[in-house]
Amino acid sequence: MGDKGLFFKKKKQIETTVLPKHIAIIMDGNGRWAKKRSLPRSAGHAAGSKTFKTIARYCNKIGIKYLTVYAFSTENWKRPKSEVDNIMNILRDYLKDTDNFKGENIRLEFIGDRTPLAEDIKELMLKAEADSADATGLHLNIALNYGGRDEIVHAVKRIVSEGLGPEDITEQAISDRLYTAGQPDPDFIIRPSGEYRLSNYLIWQSAYAEYWFSDILWPDFKPEDLDKALSDFSRRNRRFGGVEDNK
Ligand code: IPE
Ligand code: IPE
Ligand code: MG
């Protein structure tokens, strides 16, 4: 019994150091957070945007290499125009505030279909990407007008326009034409707000990801909650279709 206790203690200490390579977060629950406080939904999005900055900085600090956050989905255009405009304005303010990038060593990239976005936002996105291109810390992807199915459709269109034949179609050929080409697949997907679905997020890339769900609403999500999630991740036994590895 004593030996067993020691074994588990030792094993836990070792496992808590296993960090995911790529965390993906569905930043959900802004509206409900605002409703609980009798505030407009816009207040929820503003609070959610603060949480986003805090969590991105924290991920960079603890040495996470890739973080992908879901900011606006291809389905979110269904919302009232005033709410869509509000979300786009929050993004504008974030991108105009150069302090968000200076000294952070965070590399920013946008994934998703940019075509229908306002011209000034597209320019701000390109500038933010160019300004942070040499950063060596966290690689932060912001999924904007992103949909997993839409991403696969784009990849297939590229494959056809490049003239690939059936023999060239491999999993790698598809991965190489997704917005996340060249990046490791997310190994840890976090969804707060009490929903248990992917909502069209990274559906190809998440094939072998671990999931972590919580009732916390995104504006309330703290670095301590991420620590808890990471500690759970480090105890998961990832088999990838193989057999148990009894280290
Ligand atoms: C997530 O919060 C933000 C976006 C989808 C842009 P929601 O706005 O979906 O918040 P709930 O789900 O209504 O609480
Ligand atoms: C997913 O949240 C999209 C983002 C967080 C940007 P939604 O609130 O849009 O997802 P559903 O509608 O609950 O599936
Ligand atoms: Mg939601």
Side-chain angles (χ1 to χ4, degrees):
M1 182 64 203
D3 280 356
K4 202 176 171 194
L6 196 74
F7 169 75
F8 278 122
K9 202 171 165 205
K10 207 173 156 196
K11 193 170 180 198
K12 196 177 167 204
Q13 274 169 359
I14 295 165
E15 284 178 346
T16 46
T17 63
V18 179
L19 284 178
K21 284 195 185 67
H22 185 165
I23 301 177
I25 303 182
I26 301 172
M27 306 191 290
D28 197 17
N30 295 350
R32 281 162 284 171
W33 182 91
K35 196 173 179 193
K36 257 172 64 180
R37 288 162 179 76
S38 308
L39 294 168
R41 292 179 65 85
S42 58
H45 294 312
S49 143
K50 278 194 185 158
T51 300
F52 152 68
K53 287 182 223 169
T54 305
I55 295 298
R57 282 199 185 105
Y58 186 67
C59 284
N60 189 33
K61 189 177 127 191
I62 64 173
I64 300 293
K65 293 291 169 221
Y66 292 88
L67 170 68
T68 300
V69 294
Y70 210 177
F72 192 87
S73 76
T74 46
E75 287 73 38
N76 286 148
W77 298 104
K78 288 178 199 157
R79 296 187 181 205
K81 185 176 180 298
S82 57
E83 181 168 347
V84 172
D85 288 349
N86 170 241
I87 293 168
M88 295 299 164
N89 279 331
I90 288 174
L91 178 76
R92 263 190 194 94
D93 290 345
Y94 171 71
L95 292 174
K96 280 182 189 164
D97 183 359
T98 48
D99 283 350
N100 283 320
F101 310 108
K102 278 214 183 91
E104 293 277 355
N105 199 24
I106 293 178
R107 178 173 169 192
L108 199 60
E109 193 176 328
F110 288 88
I111 63 168
D113 178 9
R114 302 180 189 205
T115 329
L117 301 176
E119 283 309 317
D120 70 309
I121 291 197
K122 285 192 232 187
E123 277 167 31
L124 286 167
M125 286 161 70
L126 284 173
K127 185 172 183 317
E129 287 175 330
D131 288 350
S132 67
D134 295 331
T136 53
L138 178 74
H139 188 135
L140 172 62
N141 296 312
I142 300 182
L144 188 71
N145 191 31
Y146 173 88
R149 289 187 171 183
D150 184 61
E151 181 181 39
I152 293 169
V153 168
H154 274 89
V156 172
K157 283 186 180 168
R158 276 188 58 190
I159 284 174
V160 172
S161 67
E162 288 169 28
L164 269 69
E167 66 287 354
D168 303 318
I169 311 294
T170 57
E171 292 188 6
Q172 193 62 46
I174 293 170
S175 293
D176 287 348
R177 287 161 183 81
L178 300 176
Y179 296 120
T180 51
Q183 303 184 21
D185 283 340
D187 42 2
F188 197 34
I189 299 190
I190 294 175
R191 182 163 196 163
S193 92
E195 309 294 357
Y196 300 88
R197 54 177 172 263
L198 273 182
S199 302
N200 203 9
Y201 197 37
L202 302 169
I203 53 175
W204 173 277
Q205 297 91 330
S206 64
Y208 256 107
E210 296 291 327
Y211 293 85
W212 196 82
F213 296 102
S214 154
D215 287 343
I216 302 164
L217 301 171
W218 176 247
D220 289 329
F221 198 89
K222 302 271 179 301
E224 298 81 71
D225 300 310
L226 186 64
D227 283 342
K228 167 91 181 41
L230 291 173
S231 141
D232 287 350
F233 175 84
S234 70
R235 285 193 294 274
R236 303 272 177 98
N237 188 352
R238 309 187 73 211
R239 286 187 292 281
F240 300 101
V243 289
E244 182 125 18
D245 180 5
N246 279 316
K247 275 178 282 199

